[in-house]
Each structure stands twice: as C-alpha cells, then as structure tokens.
Amino acid sequence: MQIISEQLKKDLLHSIRDIPDYPKPGIVFKDITTLVNNAPLLTKLIESLKQYYDNMNLDFVAGIEARGFIFGAMLAYALNVGFVPIRKKGKLPFTTMSEKYSLEYGFDEVEIHIDAFREKQNARVLLIDDLIATGGTAQAAFKLIESLGAKCIEACFILNLPDLQGAQKLSKSLKVTTILDIGN
Ligand code: AMP
C-alpha cells in the first residue's frame, strides 16, 4: 500500500537539509527540522501516517529519543493512543529495562520504563524514529518493547539510508515501513 503520494515524497525529500560532516567528519546529517517547521508538509505527512495506521488496532506508539518523539507523539495523538518514550541511558526517572547496542566504536544503551505499556498484556505497539541507518538503535528498541510482553507490530521510519542495510536487517524481526529511501 502506498502511504504517501509521489508528489508528497518529492516535497518531503526537498524539505530535508543535508549537513555535511555533522556530528563528525564523514557523516551527512539529515536535518528534519526543515521538514517539521513546514506546517502544510508536516500536516500532510502525519495525516498520511494516521490513515495508514488507523485500522491496525494499535495501543501505543513508541518513539526513539529524540526526533522519534516528534513524529511519534504527533502520530499517537492523531491515532488516539498512548505515547511511550524510549530514551538514552540515564534519562528516564522510574525503574527501567535497558538494552545495549554496538556503535562503530563502542556501545550505546536505550531504556524504557517497566510500566510503559500500563501492564497491558500483548499491547500492540508501533515503533517510530526519524531515520534508520545501521538499525542498531531500532533493534534494541524492538527488544525492549517485546521484553515487556508487548507486541511490536511494525517499525516506521521517515528516512531510510538503504546502503547501511539497517531496515533490511530489522525486517527479519518485524514489518518495517520506510517513507523516504535515500541512496547515495
Ligand atoms: P542507527 O542505529 O545506525 O540506525 O542510527 C539511527 C539513529 O541515529 C536515529 O535515532 C537517527 O536519528 C540517528 N542518525 C543516524 N544517522 C543519521 C544521519 N545521517 N542523519 C540524522 N540522524 C542520524
């Protein structure tokens, strides 16, 4: 199913700003602030996502810190379901579950509150972030959701860097939807 029109895809792609060598040399940072400050584009994107996810009987949308909060919270509101933040280590105040994942050099860790899904068994959860690159963050977030007894129905990313194969790897565990694929 086509989630957004070809025209909206083009407009969204044009709205994203490339920042070379940020946060370190060799990385081209995909800056979505120029998408989210464009009211008509943002509204069209969230409405398209709402239409697509409306009949999936979701209970929660879980967003990955920090830009996953922007899209995740708006979509949760549009779908009339709860929002769950998945945060970097040490940011959540209550008891957490945590999951480490490897980076190019070293490790990082994401956390979720143990009562994130309000003790609802088999809660149906959509995972969302702005971008998937290697997929390490999303894979760890997926494990956290399922470790609490919830079902991660699908993962959604506004941007995908297909060359890094993260979406491809993650799709072995669950359905992955990407809105814009950005090749080199
Ligand atoms: P990964 O775990 O490699 O899939 O990285 C995904 C996470 O890092 C997401 O939360 C993204 O927001 C962020 N990220 C990775 N690469 C980029 C990039 N080139 N531009 C913007 N954000 C990125």
Side-chain angles (χ1 to χ4, degrees):
M1 178 185 165
Q2 173 117 347
I3 301 176
I4 63 171
S5 68
E6 288 304 316
Q7 185 58 52
L8 181 54
K9 255 187 207 181
K10 272 189 202 146
D11 294 344
L12 288 168
L13 272 173
H14 281 135
S15 77
I16 289 154
R17 178 163 59 185
D18 279 0
I19 311 284
D21 299 320
Y22 182 88
K24 51 185 181 184
I27 305 284
V28 179
F29 191 85
K30 299 290 175 185
D31 179 16
I32 52 91
T33 64
T34 41
L35 184 170
V36 297
N37 71 5
N38 183 324
L41 270 189
L42 181 63
T43 302
K44 280 184 203 156
L45 173 62
I46 299 299
E47 279 177 358
S48 305
L49 291 173
K50 174 192 158 42
Q51 266 191 9
Y52 176 66
Y53 287 110
D54 226 359
N55 56 4
M56 289 199 192
N57 284 321
L58 293 172
D59 297 305
F60 297 91
V61 174
I64 300 175
E65 183 174 358
R67 290 173 299 277
F69 292 179
I70 302 172
F71 299 104
M74 282 189 287
L75 184 57
Y77 176 77
L79 292 170
N80 195 26
V81 302
F83 175 75
V84 171
I86 294 177
R87 299 207 64 180
K88 301 280 160 56
K89 188 178 170 58
K91 301 279 189 178
L92 287 170
F94 186 58
T95 314
T96 57
M97 296 281 290
S98 59
E99 187 69 39
K100 273 191 183 167
Y101 58 97
S102 45
L103 300 170
E104 204 175 348
Y105 302 103
F107 289 91
D108 214 337
E109 203 163 341
V110 280
E111 296 186 330
I112 193 168
H113 274 154
I114 53 163
D115 60 354
F117 304 116
R118 306 174 62 89
E119 263 103 76
K120 182 175 171 56
Q121 276 311 298
N122 302 313
R124 292 171 62 82
V125 181
L126 169 70
L127 175 65
I128 191 163
D129 202 358
D130 67 326
L131 180 146
I132 184 161
T134 65
T137 319
Q139 196 83 52
F142 165 72
K143 281 189 196 156
L144 284 180
I145 291 166
E146 299 248 321
S147 73
L148 292 181
K151 182 83 199 124
C152 193
I153 301 298
E154 187 165 327
C156 175
F157 304 91
I158 310 306
L159 299 172
N160 176 27
L161 304 182
D163 292 352
L164 297 175
Q165 299 186 352
Q168 198 185 320
K169 278 185 226 147
L170 186 65
S171 65
K172 288 180 187 145
S173 306
L174 80 167
K175 180 161 188 238
V176 176
T177 292
T178 61
I179 306 299
L180 307 168
D181 291 344
I182 303 181
N184 274 330

